[in-house]
Amino acid sequence: MPDHHSLIDLELAALSRWCNGDPDGFLAICADDVSYFDPFISRRIDGLAALSRYYASLRGKIFAKRHEMRAPLVQAGGELATLSFQFVSWGDNGGEMHWNCSETYRLDPPGWRIIHTHWSLTASNGDAAPTP
Amino acid sequence: MPDHHSLIDLELAALSRWCNGDPDGFLAICADDVSYFDPFISRRIDGLAALSRYYASLRGKIFAKRHEMRAPLVQAGGELATLSFQFVSWGDNGGEMHWNCSETYRLDPPGWRIIHTHWSLTASNGDAAPTP
């Protein structure tokens, strides 16, 4: 079982580089068989080679002056763990973006590697109370 | 390790009931500690009790005359497995909806149970080639 804080720290370190135009922090912790959804692509991306090409197209283009991980939750069992959280990023123009994120990590010794990522946009009332 | 087909079959059976207004197929295969994102709620739902209340609000309201799971992928390790797929549903008015879905399942003997769900809407060019 992973130390939950260490998975969260791994994700935070990659997010910090991501928000500074640098996708290599994520690529360094993705497994060869990583699969990936985000709201801007119409098909799941399968495999590190394909994800690397996609991230290359974003290198140097994504900047957030501030970002925040909210309500991280690690659900683990044996050699896999799913980390889910909400994420808020603030652009230079002050615009906020609200995200839902799920990451499945696998213990590929000596470290944990991402095998699945799902990013989506949170419902627009990102600061409201939950529906149910 | 799960039989990948059996996880897909479990999901398909629950989806079939879901598309007929019946959320109980999913509730029956969710663990007590299930967590849940969809594009219509502003916070993750944590726990089966809260998810049951949310699904109760949808019971008898969601119908699709046809639905299709596309490109299911199971990534498993020990007692956890992540199933990701794309999903298309057709309403009575002929409208199509395109979804991305990720489910993390855990082996809670005697069966597999969902511990995390993430639904989101696919980029609007749902039938186009992938971006990268």
Side-chain angles (χ1 to χ4, degrees):
Chain A
M1 301 282 273
D3 169 344
H4 292 192
H5 288 294
S6 67
L7 279 191
I8 294 169
D9 287 346
L10 205 58
E11 183 80 16
L12 283 170
L15 283 168
S16 179
R17 292 177 65 177
W18 182 265
C19 289
N20 196 31
D22 175 10
D24 295 331
F26 272 114
L27 289 175
I29 59 168
C30 282
D32 280 348
D33 57 339
V34 63
S35 59
Y36 175 93
F37 284 130
D38 80 23
F40 309 115
I41 54 175
S42 58
R43 291 280 191 277
R44 189 184 56 220
I45 293 174
D46 288 341
L48 185 58
L51 187 62
S52 298
R53 286 194 295 276
Y54 180 52
Y55 279 0
S57 74
L58 303 173
R59 186 170 283 115
K61 294 184 181 164
I62 293 174
F63 294 91
K65 63 179 179 184
R66 192 157 76 85
H67 62 270
E68 199 174 295
M69 179 189 280
R70 292 181 179 174
L73 173 69
V74 176
Q75 295 171 280
E79 66 201 80
L80 292 196
T82 293
L83 164 64
S84 62
F85 59 93
Q86 295 192 295
F87 187 73
V88 187
S89 59
W90 288 267
D92 284 336
N93 58 4
E96 273 180 44
M97 293 195 74
H98 290 251
W99 303 87
N100 300 332
C101 183
S102 308
E103 302 272 32
T104 299
Y105 279 87
R106 183 179 62 212
L107 182 58
D108 286 356
W112 289 83
R113 292 293 174 265
I114 295 170
I115 59 167
H116 180 67
T117 293
H118 190 152
W119 283 102
S120 68
L121 297 170
T122 304
S124 57
N125 52 341
D127 284 320
T131 300
Chain B
M1 302 281 275
D3 169 345
H4 292 191
H5 289 294
S6 68
L7 278 192
I8 293 169
D9 287 347
L10 205 58
E11 183 80 17
L12 283 171
L15 283 168
S16 179
R17 292 176 65 177
W18 181 265
C19 289
N20 196 31
D22 175 11
D24 294 331
F26 272 113
L27 289 175
I29 58 168
C30 282
D32 280 349
D33 57 339
V34 64
S35 59
Y36 175 94
F37 285 130
D38 80 24
F40 309 115
I41 55 176
S42 58
R43 291 279 191 276
R44 189 183 57 220
I45 293 174
D46 288 341
L48 186 57
L51 186 61
S52 298
R53 286 194 294 277
Y54 180 53
Y55 279 2
S57 74
L58 303 174
R59 186 170 283 117
K61 294 184 183 165
I62 293 174
F63 295 91
K65 64 178 178 184
R66 190 156 78 84
H67 62 271
E68 200 175 294
M69 179 189 281
R70 293 180 179 174
L73 174 69
V74 176
Q75 295 171 278
E79 66 200 79
L80 293 195
T82 293
L83 164 63
S84 62
F85 59 92
Q86 295 193 293
F87 186 73
V88 187
S89 59
W90 289 266
D92 284 335
N93 58 3
E96 274 181 43
M97 292 194 77
H98 290 252
W99 304 87
N100 300 331
C101 183
S102 308
E103 302 273 32
T104 299
Y105 280 87
R106 183 179 60 211
L107 182 58
D108 286 356
W112 289 83
R113 293 290 175 265
I114 295 169
I115 60 168
H116 180 68
T117 293
H118 190 151
W119 282 102
S120 68
L121 297 170
T122 304
S124 57
N125 52 342
D127 284 322
T131 300

